[in-house]
Amino acid sequence: MPMKTFRVGGSVRDELLGLPVQDHDYVVVGADPGELLAKGFRPVGADFPVFLHPVTHEEYALARTERKTAPGYKGFSFHAAPDVTLEDDLRRRDLTINAMAIGEDGALVDPHGGAADLKAGILRHVSEAFEEDPVRILRVARFAARFGFAIAPETLGLMRAMVARGEADALVPERVWQELARGVMETEPARMIAVLRECGALARVLPELDTALEEPGATARLGARLDAAARAGYVLAVRYALLVLDLATEGAAALSQRVNAPSDCRDLARLAIQERGLLADARTLDAESMLALLERTDAMRRPERLDRLLDVAECDAAMAPDRSAATRKALARALGSARNVDAGAIAREHPGEIPDSIRRARLAAIASLQAPTGH
């Protein structure tokens, strides 16, 4: 067959949804690696026949089929050859909404009804090959968080069967974190957790969180926190801290270790859990308690960390804007006063007791902000 190129996957889906298209992926049918190399394409990766366009540097993959050879998401062999059709390639994809293509003539190729599922707001698997890759459980949950779509009953049933067979146990921490991090940054992050819990995967990949959500009202509280963070556009570390906020410190540490979470996410989660009570309304703290809080959060050197903690507190309490603003203002003023203390001058004046002298000066500076003013 003659060589043909099709745009596939997410860019087709997002274009049909009227969303901005970030990246374009292409499938090449009727060609072998030698033909692409002859046209100046550059091969990338060792696992799949993927090439970079010589001018645009966009990815072009030879049409391929896959076959399950072992448990887990790496247990695949693939076949890429000129006789593999576009329909063969689309059949191996996860969801119907991701299994569409647009040809060079602009015509839509949609053998699995992806456009109809997009219109209906349904996430539906393409074929039984879905169950060969456990990462797809996480991807379905993430797409639910992104688009708010419902999951087809047969697809949810397949996900439950995969979990029951132990497929989710083969997921490595890096892939779990990759999908989790992307999912909590979507517009409806609580949907991802709800889907994972509904199919049983949450108990396998994030058991500490699954146990915490058994408490009455815990799911609703988590959803409210995550949705508030999404509305505010808060960063990943804040959203992760909100995700694990109801866990004990040890449980959050175990979960962070399990998914190999980045250090900024781990640290903020730990502090948010430890300081949760005080951060709920720091306006009521006396000078000693406020300075101790600033010290524990290392706010003198890392003021941005305190800002992130206050983001967590704001979403946790779902506090009124005026209370949130007042709490931020109180801590910002205290931090500003403490940082304005001339540590160098104090060190020169009290060379034998530098740390204690600096702390006393910072405490006095904060206390002066809280002192009542007379007339």
Side-chain angles (χ1 to χ4, degrees):
M1 67 176 72
M3 186 174 83
K4 292 182 179 180
T5 300
F6 298 85
R7 182 159 57 89
V8 297
S11 68
V12 178
R13 176 200 67 221
D14 290 348
E15 182 177 307
L16 292 178
L17 285 171
L19 299 174
V21 176
Q22 304 296 332
D23 299 304
H24 296 91
D25 294 312
Y26 298 87
V27 161
V28 181
V29 177
D32 60 32
E35 291 178 76
L36 291 182
L37 292 174
K39 293 178 179 293
F41 283 77
R42 183 164 57 87
V44 294
D47 295 334
F48 299 115
V50 179
F51 301 80
L52 295 182
H53 191 281
V55 177
T56 66
H57 304 296
E58 292 176 318
E59 287 193 356
Y60 286 67
L62 292 178
R64 69 180 186 265
T65 59
E66 294 176 346
R67 183 171 61 88
K68 186 75 168 175
T69 58
Y73 74 95
K74 288 187 175 180
F76 291 91
S77 65
F78 69 89
H79 170 68
D83 62 346
V84 178
T85 67
L86 175 64
E87 287 72 19
D88 291 334
D89 187 275
L90 294 177
R91 194 177 301 117
R92 68 177 174 78
R93 295 174 183 266
D94 54 2
L95 299 170
T96 61
I97 64 170
N98 297 329
M100 296 180 285
I102 293 179
E104 293 167 309
D105 59 357
L108 178 68
V109 181
D110 181 18
H112 303 289
D117 282 342
L118 267 186
K119 188 173 182 180
I122 294 174
L123 300 175
R124 190 191 316 276
H125 67 283
V126 171
S127 72
E128 296 306 305
F130 177 96
E131 61 186 320
E132 296 178 347
D133 184 358
V135 173
R136 290 176 169 178
I137 298 172
L138 303 176
R139 281 173 57 83
V140 169
R142 174 165 62 82
F143 282 124
R146 175 181 299 182
F147 299 121
F149 287 1
I151 301 173
E154 62 270 26
T155 300
L156 185 60
L158 200 58
M159 293 163 64
R160 285 172 172 157
M162 293 168 67
V163 173
R165 286 200 311 271
E167 280 285 330
D169 300 338
L171 289 165
V172 298
E174 291 74 18
R175 292 309 299 269
V176 174
W177 174 255
Q178 182 182 53
E179 294 297 329
L180 178 65
R182 295 176 70 179
V184 297
M185 292 303 292
E186 300 289 5
T187 54
E188 298 181 40
R191 280 276 291 147
M192 181 178 193
I193 305 305
V195 168
L196 291 178
R197 194 147 198 258
E198 189 174 6
C199 73
L202 193 68
R204 309 308 305 169
V205 297
L206 304 174
E208 297 85 1
L209 180 59
D210 187 69
T211 299
L213 291 178
E214 293 175 359
E215 294 295 323
T219 298
R221 291 193 299 271
L222 174 63
R225 293 198 301 263
L226 291 177
D227 288 346
R231 288 193 300 270
Y234 287 148
V235 300
L236 174 60
V238 170
R239 300 192 196 200
Y240 179 71
L242 290 165
L243 181 70
V244 302
L245 196 58
D246 285 338
L247 275 62
T249 304
E250 297 78 10
L255 190 149
S256 296
Q257 180 70 27
R258 183 184 305 280
V259 299
N260 198 20
S263 59
D264 63 326
C265 292
R266 297 186 191 213
D267 292 345
L268 191 69
R270 174 181 53 80
L271 285 170
I273 293 169
Q274 292 175 346
E275 307 296 344
R276 188 177 189 179
L278 293 181
L279 286 168
D281 190 359
R283 297 175 303 172
T284 63
L285 299 180
D286 58 25
E288 173 61 42
S289 298
M290 191 167 285
L291 177 59
L293 174 61
L294 296 177
E295 291 170 340
R296 289 193 301 273
T297 58
D298 198 19
M300 309 296 179
R301 294 190 307 122
R302 302 175 61 183
E304 73 285 350
R305 178 190 276 181
L306 181 63
D307 287 335
R308 300 293 79 80
L309 277 172
L310 288 168
D311 293 342
V312 174
E314 175 187 316
C315 297
D316 177 30
M319 61 176 70
D322 57 342
R323 178 181 168 193
S324 174
T327 298
R328 285 183 184 274
K329 182 178 180 181
L331 279 168
R333 291 180 67 215
L335 178 59
S337 294
R339 296 184 79 195
N340 283 336
V341 167
D342 190 340
I346 293 174
R348 290 189 295 273
E349 186 175 348
H350 303 281
E353 49 178 20
I354 295 174
D356 289 342
S357 297
I358 292 174
R359 192 178 192 281
R360 285 195 297 270
R362 288 172 173 169
L363 187 61
I366 294 173
S368 69
L369 295 175
Q370 300 176 333
T373 56
H375 297 280

